[in-house]
Short mmCIF file of all heavy atoms in Angstrom, two decimals:
data_model
loop_
_atom_site.label_atom_id
_atom_site.label_comp_id
_atom_site.label_asym_id
_atom_site.label_seq_id
_atom_site.Cartn_x
_atom_site.Cartn_y
_atom_site.Cartn_z
N ILE A 53 7.94 -11.28 19.83
CA ILE A 53 7.43 -12.58 20.21
C ILE A 53 8.48 -13.62 20.41
O ILE A 53 8.38 -14.36 21.39
CB ILE A 53 6.26 -12.94 19.25
CG1 ILE A 53 5.72 -14.33 19.60
CG2 ILE A 53 6.89 -13.19 17.83
CD1 ILE A 53 4.66 -14.26 20.67
N ASN A 54 9.49 -13.64 19.65
CA ASN A 54 10.56 -14.64 19.68
C ASN A 54 11.27 -14.55 20.94
O ASN A 54 11.69 -15.50 21.61
CB ASN A 54 11.52 -14.59 18.57
CG ASN A 54 10.85 -15.07 17.22
OD1 ASN A 54 9.91 -15.90 17.31
ND2 ASN A 54 11.26 -14.43 16.15
N ASP A 55 11.56 -13.28 21.41
CA ASP A 55 12.24 -13.04 22.64
C ASP A 55 11.38 -13.42 23.85
O ASP A 55 11.90 -13.96 24.84
CB ASP A 55 12.66 -11.58 22.79
CG ASP A 55 13.63 -11.08 21.75
OD1 ASP A 55 14.27 -11.98 21.14
OD2 ASP A 55 13.61 -9.95 21.51
N ILE A 56 10.10 -13.23 23.72
CA ILE A 56 9.23 -13.49 24.85
C ILE A 56 9.09 -15.01 25.10
O ILE A 56 9.14 -15.47 26.11
CB ILE A 56 7.84 -12.80 24.66
CG1 ILE A 56 7.99 -11.27 24.67
CG2 ILE A 56 6.76 -13.29 25.72
CD1 ILE A 56 6.68 -10.55 24.36
N ILE A 57 8.87 -15.71 23.98
CA ILE A 57 8.49 -17.17 24.21
C ILE A 57 9.80 -18.01 24.14
O ILE A 57 9.77 -19.16 24.55
CB ILE A 57 7.49 -17.69 23.22
CG1 ILE A 57 7.98 -17.76 21.80
CG2 ILE A 57 6.24 -16.96 23.26
CD1 ILE A 57 7.01 -18.48 20.90
N GLU A 58 11.00 -17.37 23.74
CA GLU A 58 12.18 -18.16 23.66
C GLU A 58 11.99 -19.48 22.96
O GLU A 58 11.61 -19.39 21.85
CB GLU A 58 12.76 -18.25 25.11
CG GLU A 58 13.12 -16.91 25.70
CD GLU A 58 13.65 -16.94 27.08
OE1 GLU A 58 13.34 -17.95 27.80
OE2 GLU A 58 14.20 -15.91 27.55
N ASN A 59 12.37 -20.55 23.57
CA ASN A 59 12.35 -21.78 22.81
C ASN A 59 11.11 -22.61 22.96
O ASN A 59 11.04 -23.75 22.68
CB ASN A 59 13.50 -22.66 23.33
CG ASN A 59 14.87 -21.99 23.03
OD1 ASN A 59 14.98 -21.36 21.91
ND2 ASN A 59 15.81 -22.07 23.93
N LYS A 60 10.06 -22.00 23.46
CA LYS A 60 8.81 -22.72 23.69
C LYS A 60 8.26 -23.11 22.35
O LYS A 60 8.12 -22.21 21.45
CB LYS A 60 7.85 -21.85 24.40
CG LYS A 60 6.63 -22.43 25.12
CD LYS A 60 6.99 -23.38 26.21
CE LYS A 60 7.38 -22.77 27.47
NZ LYS A 60 7.62 -23.83 28.59
N PRO A 61 7.90 -24.38 22.17
CA PRO A 61 7.21 -24.72 20.85
C PRO A 61 6.02 -23.95 20.57
O PRO A 61 5.30 -23.51 21.52
CB PRO A 61 6.86 -26.17 21.12
CG PRO A 61 7.79 -26.66 22.13
CD PRO A 61 8.03 -25.53 23.11
N ARG A 62 5.79 -23.55 19.30
CA ARG A 62 4.79 -22.64 19.01
C ARG A 62 4.04 -23.00 17.74
O ARG A 62 4.67 -23.49 16.82
CB ARG A 62 5.36 -21.26 18.83
CG ARG A 62 4.55 -20.27 17.95
CD ARG A 62 5.04 -18.88 17.91
NE ARG A 62 6.44 -18.81 17.57
CZ ARG A 62 7.09 -17.74 17.00
NH1 ARG A 62 6.29 -16.75 16.63
NH2 ARG A 62 8.35 -17.69 16.77
N VAL A 63 2.78 -22.83 17.77
CA VAL A 63 2.02 -22.96 16.44
C VAL A 63 1.36 -21.60 16.17
O VAL A 63 0.76 -21.05 17.11
CB VAL A 63 1.03 -24.16 16.52
CG1 VAL A 63 0.05 -24.12 17.68
CG2 VAL A 63 0.15 -24.13 15.20
N VAL A 64 1.55 -21.15 15.04
CA VAL A 64 0.92 -19.87 14.60
C VAL A 64 -0.45 -20.23 13.96
O VAL A 64 -0.61 -21.05 13.12
CB VAL A 64 1.75 -19.13 13.54
CG1 VAL A 64 1.11 -17.84 13.14
CG2 VAL A 64 3.19 -18.95 14.03
N ALA A 65 -1.52 -19.51 14.52
CA ALA A 65 -2.87 -19.66 13.91
C ALA A 65 -3.16 -18.43 13.24
O ALA A 65 -3.22 -17.30 13.79
CB ALA A 65 -3.82 -19.99 15.04
N LEU A 66 -3.49 -18.54 11.92
CA LEU A 66 -3.88 -17.37 11.07
C LEU A 66 -5.47 -17.28 11.30
O LEU A 66 -6.26 -17.85 10.60
CB LEU A 66 -3.58 -17.57 9.69
CG LEU A 66 -2.09 -17.92 9.31
CD1 LEU A 66 -1.98 -18.14 7.78
CD2 LEU A 66 -1.19 -16.73 9.71
N ASN A 67 -5.83 -16.51 12.34
CA ASN A 67 -7.20 -16.37 12.64
C ASN A 67 -8.00 -15.47 11.73
O ASN A 67 -7.40 -14.60 11.09
CB ASN A 67 -7.37 -16.01 14.08
CG ASN A 67 -8.84 -16.19 14.64
OD1 ASN A 67 -9.46 -17.23 14.24
ND2 ASN A 67 -9.35 -15.24 15.38
N LYS A 68 -9.32 -15.51 11.74
CA LYS A 68 -10.12 -14.69 10.90
C LYS A 68 -9.86 -15.06 9.40
O LYS A 68 -9.91 -14.17 8.50
CB LYS A 68 -10.00 -13.20 11.15
CG LYS A 68 -10.15 -12.90 12.62
CD LYS A 68 -10.39 -11.32 12.80
CE LYS A 68 -10.44 -11.00 14.39
NZ LYS A 68 -10.74 -9.62 14.63
N ALA A 69 -9.52 -16.31 9.15
CA ALA A 69 -9.15 -16.70 7.79
C ALA A 69 -10.44 -16.56 6.87
O ALA A 69 -10.24 -16.40 5.73
CB ALA A 69 -8.70 -18.09 7.81
N ASP A 70 -11.59 -16.59 7.52
CA ASP A 70 -12.77 -16.33 6.75
C ASP A 70 -12.83 -15.01 6.09
O ASP A 70 -13.57 -14.77 5.10
CB ASP A 70 -14.08 -16.56 7.65
CG ASP A 70 -14.04 -15.65 8.86
OD1 ASP A 70 -13.08 -15.69 9.52
OD2 ASP A 70 -15.03 -14.93 9.06
N LEU A 71 -12.10 -14.08 6.67
CA LEU A 71 -12.06 -12.65 6.10
C LEU A 71 -10.94 -12.35 5.14
O LEU A 71 -10.77 -11.35 4.55
CB LEU A 71 -12.00 -11.57 7.31
CG LEU A 71 -13.24 -11.63 8.19
CD1 LEU A 71 -12.93 -10.65 9.39
CD2 LEU A 71 -14.57 -11.33 7.53
N ALA A 72 -9.95 -13.33 5.09
CA ALA A 72 -8.73 -13.14 4.22
C ALA A 72 -8.88 -13.82 2.87
O ALA A 72 -9.75 -14.73 2.74
CB ALA A 72 -7.54 -13.70 4.99
N GLU A 73 -8.18 -13.37 1.95
CA GLU A 73 -8.22 -14.02 0.58
C GLU A 73 -7.56 -15.43 0.67
O GLU A 73 -6.48 -15.53 1.09
CB GLU A 73 -7.47 -13.11 -0.38
CG GLU A 73 -8.19 -11.87 -0.67
CD GLU A 73 -7.30 -10.82 -1.57
OE1 GLU A 73 -7.01 -11.32 -2.61
OE2 GLU A 73 -7.14 -9.74 -1.07
N PRO A 74 -8.38 -16.42 0.32
CA PRO A 74 -7.85 -17.82 0.39
C PRO A 74 -6.46 -18.09 -0.19
O PRO A 74 -5.64 -18.77 0.38
CB PRO A 74 -8.96 -18.63 -0.18
CG PRO A 74 -10.16 -17.86 -0.14
CD PRO A 74 -9.75 -16.38 -0.20
N ASP A 75 -6.26 -17.50 -1.42
CA ASP A 75 -4.97 -17.76 -2.07
C ASP A 75 -3.87 -17.18 -1.26
O ASP A 75 -2.73 -17.86 -1.08
CB ASP A 75 -5.03 -16.96 -3.40
CG ASP A 75 -5.94 -17.57 -4.46
OD1 ASP A 75 -6.59 -18.53 -4.06
OD2 ASP A 75 -5.97 -16.98 -5.50
N TRP A 76 -4.06 -16.05 -0.67
CA TRP A 76 -2.99 -15.39 0.13
C TRP A 76 -2.78 -16.16 1.40
O TRP A 76 -1.71 -16.30 1.80
CB TRP A 76 -3.37 -13.93 0.45
CG TRP A 76 -2.87 -13.01 -0.60
CD1 TRP A 76 -3.50 -12.43 -1.62
CD2 TRP A 76 -1.45 -12.65 -0.77
NE1 TRP A 76 -2.66 -11.66 -2.27
CE2 TRP A 76 -1.39 -11.83 -1.83
CE3 TRP A 76 -0.28 -12.99 -0.12
CZ2 TRP A 76 -0.19 -11.22 -2.31
CZ3 TRP A 76 0.93 -12.38 -0.51
CH2 TRP A 76 0.94 -11.50 -1.66
N THR A 77 -3.94 -16.72 1.92
CA THR A 77 -3.67 -17.53 3.20
C THR A 77 -2.84 -18.72 2.88
O THR A 77 -1.91 -19.06 3.64
CB THR A 77 -5.09 -17.86 3.74
OG1 THR A 77 -5.76 -16.70 4.02
CG2 THR A 77 -4.88 -18.78 5.01
#
Side-chain angles (χ1 to χ4, degrees):
I53 182 77
N54 291 331
D55 298 337
I56 294 175
I57 69 172
E58 293 175 345
N59 298 322
K60 197 64 76 176
R62 157 174 45 155
V63 50
V64 179
L66 304 178
N67 194 40
K68 308 196 186 185
D70 57 307
L71 298 176
E73 291 174 55
D75 292 0
W76 269 104
T77 300

